[in-house]
């Protein structure tokens, strides 16, 4: 499809925004078979965010491997073991935060696979004893996941070992997650329904 070829050209030039616009336009009217084919192309190219979004558009057919890919699996599982957090939870968090896009940057400055904020990265570097650490534009997935998993474990410990609270705290900040707690304990799904931030 010419639109997908143009999107590939944009991506290969390092112009993700333009590539995403081209991709979204190119897949807008595709049937399920073509959507899954396009999603497979995106997966092979390493554009996991496009693979997930495109596979999610299919209505009658489904492909769980395209909707829920697990790139960086070895890295994520190693860090999960190192910091004693559930590996499936960590993989799911990365899927939600960045859609496995190592170069992801949010409008507020969060970066990488785990969308670590610059101030958080500085704090984690101090806690890990990395005296000469400086933020760099070419942070590796390994460093980003190391910092993000350390911070996730810290939040989990702060929030009574609750993965639901820690997930909310990772995205919105632990103080907010703590403040959203009800006076009496809520079941996880009920707590989630009370969160006032749509993104969280």
């Amino acid at each position: 499809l010419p639109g997908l070829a143009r999107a590939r050209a944009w991506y290969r030039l390092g112009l993700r925004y333009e590539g995403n616009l081209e991709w979204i336009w190119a897949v807008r009217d595709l049937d399920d078979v073509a959507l899954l084919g396009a999603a497979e192309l995106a997966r092979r190219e390493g554009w996991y965010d496009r693979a997930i979004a495109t596979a999610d558009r299919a209505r009658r057919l489904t492909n769980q491997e395209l909707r829920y890919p697990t790139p960086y699996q070895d890295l994520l599982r190693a860090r999960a073991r190192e910091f004693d957090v559930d590996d499936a939870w960590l993989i799911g968090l990365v899927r939600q935060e960045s859609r496995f896009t190592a170069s992801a940057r949010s409008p507020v400055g969060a970066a990488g696979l785990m969308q670590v904020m610059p101030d958080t990265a500085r704090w984690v570097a101090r806690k890990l004893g990395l005296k000469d650490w400086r933020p760099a534009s070419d942070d590796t997935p390994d460093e980003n996941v190391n910092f993000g998993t350390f911070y996730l474990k810290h939040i989990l410990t702060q929030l009574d070992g609750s993965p639901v609270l820690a997930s909310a705290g990772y995205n919105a900040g632990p103080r907010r997650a703590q403040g959203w707690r009800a006076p009496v304990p809520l079941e996880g799904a009920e707590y989630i329904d009370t969160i006032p931030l749509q993104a969280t």
Side-chain angles (χ1 to χ4, degrees):
L1 296 172
L4 297 184
R6 286 191 298 271
R8 180 189 291 188
W10 286 118
Y11 290 137
R12 290 186 174 169
L13 289 170
L15 300 168
R16 287 193 58 80
Y17 176 76
E18 291 81 356
N20 286 348
L21 290 178
E22 192 72 60
W23 186 277
I24 292 165
W25 184 256
V27 302
R28 73 193 184 288
D29 294 324
L30 297 182
D31 64 23
D32 285 5
V33 172
L35 283 169
L36 294 180
E40 175 60 19
L41 169 66
R43 186 197 63 78
R44 289 181 186 179
E45 293 284 348
W47 310 323
Y48 301 108
D49 59 331
R50 291 298 95 215
I52 293 166
T54 305
D56 278 350
R57 291 176 55 90
R59 294 290 165 241
R60 289 177 297 103
L61 301 176
T62 189
N63 183 315
Q64 298 301 331
E65 288 181 31
L66 293 172
R67 293 181 72 187
Y68 300 97
T70 53
Y72 304 102
Q73 187 173 170
D74 292 342
L75 169 62
L76 293 167
R77 287 198 166 136
R79 290 299 168 268
R81 279 192 306 274
E82 181 182 342
F83 293 108
D84 191 29
V85 297
D86 181 76
D87 60 336
W89 177 39
L90 184 61
I91 291 168
L93 186 83
V94 172
R95 181 189 188 273
Q96 191 61 30
E97 287 289 333
S98 69
R99 295 290 199 257
F100 302 104
T101 303
S103 62
R105 297 282 183 274
S106 80
V108 295
L113 290 171
M114 293 194 69
Q115 291 294 279
V116 178
M117 292 292 286
D119 287 344
T120 302
R122 281 188 280 279
W123 180 84
V124 170
R126 281 195 307 275
K127 289 291 187 184
L128 292 174
L130 303 174
K131 293 182 169 79
D132 295 330
W133 182 84
R134 297 278 180 270
S137 59
D138 61 345
D139 290 335
T140 64
D142 187 48
E143 180 178 275
N144 186 269
V145 171
N146 191 45
F147 280 30
T149 311
F150 178 92
Y151 185 60
L152 181 63
K153 177 64 176 190
H154 170 74
I155 292 174
L156 183 65
T157 303
Q158 273 191 321
L159 296 173
D160 305 329
S162 167
V164 173
L165 288 172
S167 296
Y170 188 88
N171 181 266
R175 283 193 194 122
R176 282 181 173 167
Q178 188 72 268
W180 295 333
R181 294 176 95 165
V184 294
L186 293 175
E187 192 270 329
E190 291 178 302
Y191 171 77
I192 291 165
D193 284 341
T194 68
I195 293 173
L197 294 180
Q198 183 63 36
T200 304

